[in-house]
């Protein structure tokens, strides 16, 4: 069986809660319309813990990432199930953009 993944560049956001001494991180992103998607790391090309850590770090640093994902609709709304991530270099906004 072959699975086809989509690729998209996103800016992840992280919301952390601390309950009973356990810290939980919720990941999301907003794309196009704007439409908000919940992000769910899934086992695949990278370990779940590594995907979670990369997304959290990029969210903290306002850094874009390229993701490999599939879209799903859950009872909590639209979701991107992420199987791989690649942080992109931060853009230097002080330099003129090349055409």
């Amino acid at each position: 069986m072959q699975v086809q993944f989509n690729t998209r560049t996103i800016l992840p956001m992280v919301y952390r809660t601390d309950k009973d001494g356990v810290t939980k991180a919720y990941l999301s992103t907003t794309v196009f319309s704007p439409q908000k998607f919940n992000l769910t790391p899934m086992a695949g090309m990278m370990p779940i813990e590594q995907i979670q850590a990369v997304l959290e770090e990029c969210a903290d640093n306002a850094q874009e990432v390229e993701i490999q994902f599939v879209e799903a609709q859950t009872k909590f709304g639209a979701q991107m199930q992420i199987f791989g991530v690649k942080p992109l270099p931060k853009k230097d906004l002080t330099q003129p953009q090349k055409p």
Side-chain angles (χ1 to χ4, degrees), residues 11-58:
L11 182 61
M13 295 174 281
V14 63
Y15 171 73
R16 293 185 181 88
T17 62
D18 191 10
K19 185 175 180 182
D20 300 326
V22 177
T23 301
K24 179 98 171 145
Y26 296 94
L27 296 161
S28 65
T29 193
T30 302
V31 294
F32 301 129
S33 317
Q35 181 180 2
K36 190 169 185 174
F37 288 85
N38 293 317
L39 303 177
T40 305
M42 304 292 284
M45 296 178 275
M46 300 171 68
I48 292 173
E49 297 80 12
Q50 184 179 9
I51 294 171
Q52 179 84 21
V54 169
L55 289 172
E56 286 186 41
E57 183 177 333
C58 289

